[in-house]
Amino acid sequence: MSSSSALILFSSLLIFSLIYSQGNALSSNYYENTCPQVEDIVTQVVTEATKKDKTVPAALLRMHFHDCFIRGCDASVLLNSKKNTAEKDGPPNVSLHAFYVIDSAKKAIEARCPGIVSCADILAFAARDSVVVSGGPSWEVPKGRKDGRTSKASETIQLPAPTFNINQLQQSFSQRGLSLEDLVALSGGHTLGFSHCSSFNNRIHNFNNTHDVDPTLHPTLAATLKGICPLKNRAKNAGSPMDPSSTTFDNTYYKLILQNKSLFSSDQALLSNPKTKSLVTDFASSKDAFFKAFANSMIKMSSINGGQEVRKDCRVAN
């Protein structure tokens, strides 16, 4: 293990102990006696799935974010629609995919330790493994989340939108106990994956009364995006990689923001506040600083919990 990786793991354990001391039910050794091999099983499933489909890590990381921001990290995003429309069918979540990876991990875990491990914990492990398999940092995932029984598509309006300005972003994160540093660090998850045109259309067509294109968007990128995402006759799944190294977890995202080449308004917005702009600059110049901050913020975010049970099937409440 490199010294920077060791430092990240040490600092994540330190933050974890702070979470535990605040009376949260999560702990590092929750499955030590009941299902000690759980994390190895999830890692194996995520690694195998990624070998077959390079988009899996980005999908699982995004799934975990979207889960935690609605009702806490309670796997409500995994529930299928039944009498009511569930979160996964809400407008911001229709492009979520790779649910089968969580199903596969759950099936393998149930064969070893039936009724013990929550789907919420499996998703938290899978998000961490997705970052690691893509070249990013590792961290100690606090364990012992419970799965929720409620999932409503209408609540997905609470997710931070790619069109948000800095005040809207700050409010969204602070409502969940997350700081400006958490906001900038967790936004770095945009180093992975692909975006459909709908998430950045506002920047390249009819931006405002004065400009058709967002003047803060680099003209070369704007022209490229307009070509991919015309107003009419657009290809069904048209869009753009989040950054040129979209399957590698690195700090390219922050470098792009400083070059006015980020995709979302919410990415560009990080330059509109002195503190967040300073953090963007720090993370752009130091991958180690970003990795450490990201690991710590993931521990913090993944510790927001609100579930009640351990599901037998991740898609259906007991």
Side-chain angles (χ1 to χ4, degrees):
M1 184 185 288
S2 70
S3 58
S4 61
S5 298
L7 188 63
I8 287 167
L9 278 170
F10 174 74
S11 60
S12 65
L13 282 166
L14 193 64
I15 285 199
F16 168 76
S17 65
L18 288 171
I19 290 167
Y20 188 58
S21 67
Q22 288 167 357
N24 199 306
L26 305 185
S27 71
S28 61
N29 58 357
Y30 191 84
Y31 297 114
E32 195 169 60
N33 298 318
T34 53
C35 195
Q37 64 276 59
V38 59
E39 290 182 85
D40 292 337
I41 295 171
V42 176
T43 300
Q44 187 177 359
V45 170
V46 170
T47 304
E48 288 302 313
T50 303
K51 284 177 186 171
K52 294 172 186 163
D53 180 357
K54 295 292 184 212
T55 70
V56 160
L60 294 174
L61 182 59
R62 184 165 175 248
M63 194 187 293
H64 182 50
F65 278 134
H66 285 215
D67 182 37
C68 294
F69 265 69
I70 309 292
R71 296 179 171 265
C73 313
D74 66 343
S76 52
V77 75
L78 304 178
L79 288 171
N80 284 345
S81 295
K82 284 190 141 182
K83 290 174 185 172
N84 67 300
T85 310
E87 281 172 40
K88 65 164 60 166
D89 295 317
N93 285 341
V94 290
S95 59
L96 289 180
H97 65 103
F99 291 101
Y100 71 90
V101 180
I102 304 302
D103 293 334
S104 298
K106 178 66 168 172
K107 185 178 179 183
I109 291 163
E110 286 296 304
R112 295 275 192 94
C113 334
I116 301 291
V117 182
S118 68
C119 300
D121 274 351
I122 293 170
L123 182 51
F125 298 145
R128 186 265 319 273
D129 295 339
S130 294
V131 171
V132 175
V133 80
S134 304
S138 188
W139 59 90
E140 180 71 51
V141 175
K143 305 160 187 72
R145 294 164 194 77
K146 292 289 188 283
D147 297 323
R149 297 182 54 80
T150 305
S151 184
K152 298 178 180 176
S154 58
E155 293 181 352
T156 59
I157 197 167
Q158 298 167 24
L159 289 167
T163 53
F164 271 13
N165 63 35
I166 193 65
N167 293 330
Q168 292 170 306
L169 289 167
Q170 184 173 5
Q171 183 181 13
S172 177
F173 276 67
S174 66
Q175 283 170 349
R176 292 158 177 85
L178 299 170
S179 67
L180 279 177
E181 181 168 6
D182 297 322
L183 162 63
V184 180
L186 293 172
S187 294
H190 289 167
T191 181
L192 293 179
F194 178 89
S195 170
H196 292 100
C197 298
S198 56
S199 294
F200 54 83
N201 248 349
N202 65 304
R203 301 188 75 194
I204 57 172
H205 299 295
N206 306 314
F207 178 68
N208 60 23
N209 292 333
T210 317
H211 300 95
D212 182 45
V213 173
D214 181 348
T216 64
L217 183 60
H218 193 286
T220 308
L221 178 59
T224 301
L225 295 177
K226 268 182 166 291
I228 296 167
C229 306
L231 267 177
K232 295 178 181 175
N233 302 321
R234 183 189 309 152
K236 187 184 174 191
N237 290 316
S240 170
M242 296 299 291
D243 77 23
S245 55
S246 63
T247 58
T248 303
F249 195 93
D250 55 25
N251 63 337
T252 304
Y253 165 79
Y254 299 102
K255 297 174 184 177
L256 292 173
I257 293 178
L258 295 175
Q259 296 165 25
N260 293 327
K261 290 181 178 177
S262 57
L263 278 185
F264 299 163
S265 295
S266 59
D267 299 326
Q268 182 68 27
L270 299 180
L271 296 182
S272 63
N273 170 294
K275 181 168 184 186
T276 55
K277 183 177 183 178
S278 172
L279 287 163
V280 168
T281 306
D282 290 348
F283 296 160
S285 61
S286 170
K287 190 166 80 168
D288 282 351
F290 164 48
F291 278 15
K292 182 180 174 185
F294 185 82
N296 290 342
S297 293
M298 283 295 287
I299 292 168
K300 206 168 155 186
M301 182 193 73
S302 76
S303 300
I304 310 167
N305 190 27
Q308 303 83 36
E309 65 184 23
V310 173
R311 267 179 231 149
K312 296 181 181 72
D313 177 340
C314 290
R315 294 172 182 259
V316 187
N318 289 349

